[in-house]
Every structure is written in C-alpha cells, then in structure tokens.
Amino acid sequence: GRIANIHTTKGLYKMYSQMSVLEKELSGSGFIRCHRSFIVNSEFIRSIRNDSDFELFTKEIVPISRSYKTRAKAAYAYLTEV
C-alpha cells in the first residue's frame, strides 16, 4: 500500500513512500495533490474537465476528488496565472 508509481516522460518508476511525504517534498514546485492517490505536475495539465478531472496533455484523465477539489482548483488557478 505504500508503493508510489511515479509516471515521468522517461518512464514509470516505483518507490516506497506515503503520499503525504511526497506531497511535502514536492511542495512549492508546481505539483498539485488532487486525490488521495494522485499528485500531478501542473505543467502537464491541459485543462479541468467537468469540474472533477484534470485532462493532461497526454490525453490521460486524472480525477479530482471532492475532498481535494477546492484546494486543487485554487492551486491550478494560481499556477496558471504565474
């Protein structure tokens, strides 16, 4: 349950870590926690779909859960303005 799958442009990497630890380590570097199972690099977000998903430039869909929706949308809005 503590294996994190890290998807990058160079491939998939696996590591043992908690999402909360990864979220802290990535804080301030343009990553957005949008679900208990997902942290997304904002540079790869194309748009917000149906107010509940991020669509990535790769055409992948990443869910935005209700508990992270306000925070994720605010972070995305802030990061796209800067």
Side-chain angles (χ1 to χ4, degrees):
R2 298 195 192 278
I3 297 176
N5 295 311
I6 313 295
H7 296 264
T8 71
T9 56
K10 296 182 181 182
L12 173 67
Y13 301 90
K14 295 181 181 233
M15 65 181 282
Y16 287 96
S17 183
Q18 294 177 334
M19 290 295 283
S20 59
V21 172
L22 284 175
E23 183 179 17
K24 273 186 185 176
E25 289 177 4
L26 296 170
S27 178
S29 59
F31 285 81
I32 300 172
R33 178 92 182 252
C34 59
H35 189 279
R36 66 177 233 145
S37 301
F38 293 95
I39 300 173
V40 180
N41 184 337
S42 63
E43 292 182 18
F44 287 85
I45 299 172
R46 179 182 205 162
S47 64
I48 296 178
R49 283 180 14 151
N50 302 325
D51 202 41
S52 61
D53 298 309
F54 282 132
E55 180 181 6
L56 306 183
F57 285 108
T58 60
K59 306 284 190 217
E60 293 174 274
I61 304 300
V62 178
I64 303 170
S65 69
R66 284 182 291 184
S67 59
Y68 287 94
K69 184 179 283 191
T70 302
R71 189 170 74 173
K73 287 174 63 177
Y76 178 69
Y78 174 77
L79 291 170
T80 55
E81 288 178 5
V82 173

